[in-house]
Amino acid sequence: MVDHMNARILLNPNEVPKEWVNILPDLPSPMTPLINPMDGKPAPFEMACAIFPKELVLQEVSQEPTITIPNELREIYARTYRPSPLHRALGLEKAIGIEGEDIKIFYKNESLSPTGSHKPNTALAQAYYAKKEGIEELVTETGAGQWGSGLAYGCSLFDINCIVYMVRASFLQKPGRKILMRAYDAEVHASPSKLTEAGKQFYDKNPDHPGSLGIAISEAVEHSLRNDKARYSLGSVVNFVLLHQTIEGQEAKIQLKKAGIEKPDIIIGCMGGGSNFGGLAIPFARDLLQGISTDIEIIGVEPRACPSVCKGEYRWDFGDTAKKAPIVKMHTLGHTFIPSPIHAGGLRYHGIAPIISILANNNIITPVMHHQTEVIESGLKFANAEGILPAPECAHAIKEVIDQALIAKENNEKKIILFNFSGHGFFDLLAYKEFMTGNLVDYELPTSEIQKALDSPEMPNIDESQF
Amino acid sequence: MVDHMNARILLNPNEVPKEWVNILPDLPSPMTPLINPMDGKPAPFEMACAIFPKELVLQEVSQEPTITIPNELREIYARTYRPSPLHRALGLEKAIGIEGEDIKIFYKNESLSPTGSHKPNTALAQAYYAKKEGIEELVTETGAGQWGSGLAYGCSLFDINCIVYMVRASFLQKPGRKILMRAYDAEVHASPSKLTEAGKQFYDKNPDHPGSLGIAISEAVEHSLRNDKARYSLGSVVNFVLLHQTIEGQEAKIQLKKAGIEKPDIIIGCMGGGSNFGGLAIPFARDLLQGISTDIEIIGVEPRACPSVCKGEYRWDFGDTAKKAPIVKMHTLGHTFIPSPIHAGGLRYHGIAPIISILANNNIITPVMHHQTEVIESGLKFANAEGILPAPECAHAIKEVIDQALIAKENNEKKIILFNFSGHGFFDLLAYKEFMTGNLVDYELPTSEIQKALDSPEMPNIDESQF
């Protein structure tokens, strides 16, 4: 018999994990370095510290299996929104006809943070270290605005200046998140802007240029390098961001144990840069790599319009359009690739976290992809059944969850499915409106497009034997 | 020394209260009945049951001091979002310069429900009883959409048809909440519509009529009376709604005890129809009335543009414009009164809950009023300090909280201040934008306007000696 009174598993604020899980020492193949785009050599420590706060640069390459979460930061997590709840999705189970005890769906609810997504997990950490190092300003880019509002929130709590370059198409179409960022006292600029060299190249030719994440990154990096009290801040992709997000998976482990579950059989998350997915999956992936667990299938879901891991190539590529940010080795669709305008703005990035790439190369995780109409349809089903409207990004995970649950049912298998509910959809209602009125369209990425974007990188010679 | 790790006080899902607190038997003067608008006599039981589900009609007049929350409903509260957290507002305390242990501010965070406000507390209860009684459809009105989305959510969980008449001005200006309601499968109509007699009077003259809550109520009542499997649903004002909301105050009591606090000195909430305010205040007000507690100041905050209790008259008045809904005795600005277009749509109602009126008449609660610019400014201060952006309604409470805290500081007093954070402002960002760009204006309600609206009621003769 299902126990409804214990279907939502809470932890006390003082159960916020005391450390982050660093997967680097356990990776089946070694982590590749960040490369200086000027000379093709690993970025020296001092160079990296001109871009990011020093403590984050150290975390980026740390080989310690865990990294202590500073007490002051733990206190802030605890008094604001962490640990997040783990829900048994009883409503969804009923709605898709798998009621019972054989197949159970759980979700980690990251939508209850002040900005409505998992992004503050790393934003608070980055703002904390910046403040501690005397940095007065953090500069970043944002697409739909989930990351920008997360960082603006973090900076506001630590009284740090926050500058956000927001892709112009979103700046114009999604005024909500822009106002939210300004409410946190952030300065928000439409990108491409005329404030940077990287932006001006595009702005001068077309002041209405819709922009891209790649251009906005270039602008943010350039802006941050101008002021020695400023640093650049990134909301996904790099190792330290995924590190901070592992707070999710660690909490989920404790919560599943409280529900009497030793381990999930399937873990699912959506993948853009890879941070919400990695945050939930990494603590479990490490158990697999260390032989502590077996038989956990970890599935990352990409949009068919931007399937970096499913269809991209694993290679060195620039992180941004103007080639100002470090070069990384990752699955990529090419740094000049401009994805189709799907609603899941957070999944429209040409690359992915190198950690995720290495895990995919070693079959620890499996990438899949879905179209946005089936995704948004699944999101609506979830909203009706569970009451919470998912962000379009998160609805990608839900589509796969439903598929996996129905496969298990058909095969008469017992399965525990865990997924990351990375954020709510209150700022993304247009996607649902378009679906409900029959106006939502799908975008498939033709292989020829991928090849074209990959063919144009002007990449410096990178000699891996020298690392 | 402030304990940050225990600044957010959670309860377990199985600590959801087992009963609601009914203040009717303890009121210092007796509750007045709902009056039939046709003949001026108390509405007979059968008539009330044609409008509302029967169990709610019984709750409306119950003299039991507590009413048991059905187990199935408790389970739904528990597996979705209740109990809600109680936060110590350490960030706000610091921001306004009252750091320390003398003055402490706590808030009950109702913004974490799936629709972002306290409204689901009663929506779930109403949908539960409707389902149990075989009712297939609930019809309601909504202004800005907080109540409409709350009921749409409740109906979606219980698989009940939901029809919402939404004030046209909001229907056009706030597409977000409309889409959210539709995502929950509700049918949403702009009001005045041509679907009802009450709406047609206005629609035929002007299809672009901006509408009012009074007109939308008339439409919803009329629509519900057409179908004997349908009932009308109300999100505030009536006794049973305030009853359901007392879950808030009961939880807050337990949470304060956990924080080592016997009782708050000041309780603050914003007042529109009175449900979020009553929900937090009633369990404490009952303690005052029973002599269990003393020295609790309970303050309800109204907008200066619609100060029903501060400036209205305590008298019989219609609940709606077309005089289809029952007549109630309450503080009112007159049922023909159309409030100025302030952003706190949830506070734009001409009347208030009769329970609140009686408590105000007996000095158990104190009404105050504030202008919207000072209110939104306080909301921004809160967002920066605590990270959560309040709805404009809720920001009214915050303005008063800051004022009270500063008065206590000036007087060197020790005070525990508790307030209701009734909802987030993600759907109300325009108010913040207007404030930040200097475009937000204040509306003062001239006394002459009030007199005019009160002078036109065409009220049937009501003989109170006959009750």
Side-chain angles (χ1 to χ4, degrees), chain B residues 67 81 88 121 125 153 158 184-185 213 236 243 274 285 336 343 379 423:
Chain B
I67 291 174
Y81 67 96
R88 170 92 182 266
N121 298 336
Y153 160 65
F158 284 98
Y184 292 127
D185 252 358
L213 221 38
S236 193
L243 176 81
T336 60
H343 286 278

Side-chain angles (χ1 to χ4, degrees), chain A residues 74-109:
Chain A
R74 263 192 90 222
E75 285 180 352
I76 289 176
Y77 284 138
R79 79 170 168 82
T80 50
Y81 66 96
R82 293 218 77 84
S84 70
L86 183 77
H87 299 242
R88 170 93 183 265
L90 291 170
L92 182 65
E93 291 176 15
K94 188 174 167 192
I96 63 173
I98 57 155
E99 276 168 295
E101 290 300 285
D102 284 348
I103 306 165
K104 297 179 187 176
I105 300 173
F106 289 89
Y107 59 98
K108 186 74 176 147
N109 187 353

Side-chain angles (χ1 to χ4, degrees), chain B residues 28 55 89 110 120 125 144 150 178 218 278 360 372 413 436 452 461:
Chain B
E55 200 62 41
E110 294 295 313
K178 176 176 67 187
S218 301
Q372 74 170 347
E413 289 172 313
M436 290 188 282
K452 217 167 66 191
N461 183 42

Side-chain angles (χ1 to χ4, degrees), chain A residues 449-462:
Chain A
E449 279 292 313
I450 301 172
Q451 215 42 60
K452 216 167 67 190
L454 284 172
D455 282 348
S456 59
E458 308 155 48
M459 183 62 55
N461 183 44
I462 297 170

Side-chain angles (χ1 to χ4, degrees), chain B residues 401-433:
Chain B
V401 165
I402 296 174
D403 285 358
Q404 289 293 335
L406 295 179
I407 291 170
K409 188 189 175 191
E410 204 174 300
N411 296 341
N412 264 319
E413 289 172 313
K414 294 195 174 199
K415 291 281 182 197
I416 305 291
I417 302 173
L418 167 68
F419 79 96
N420 206 0
F421 191 91
S422 55
H424 63 59
F426 289 164
F427 291 94
D428 312 278
L429 290 157
L430 192 58
Y432 289 96
K433 184 183 176 186

Side-chain angles (χ1 to χ4, degrees), chain A residues 144-166:
Chain A
Q146 245 177 20
W147 167 240
S149 53
L151 187 67
Y153 159 65
C155 287
S156 115
L157 287 202
F158 284 98
D159 203 16
I160 292 173
N161 201 15
C162 180
I163 315 274
V164 183
Y165 284 86
M166 185 173 190

Side-chain angles (χ1 to χ4, degrees), chain A residues 8 78 82 114 156 183-184 384 387, chain B residues 8 78 82 114 156 183-184 384 387 426:
Chain A
R8 189 168 51 103
R82 293 218 77 84
S156 115
Y184 292 127
N384 264 283
Chain B
R8 190 169 50 103
R82 295 218 74 85
S156 114
Y184 292 127
N384 264 283
F426 289 164

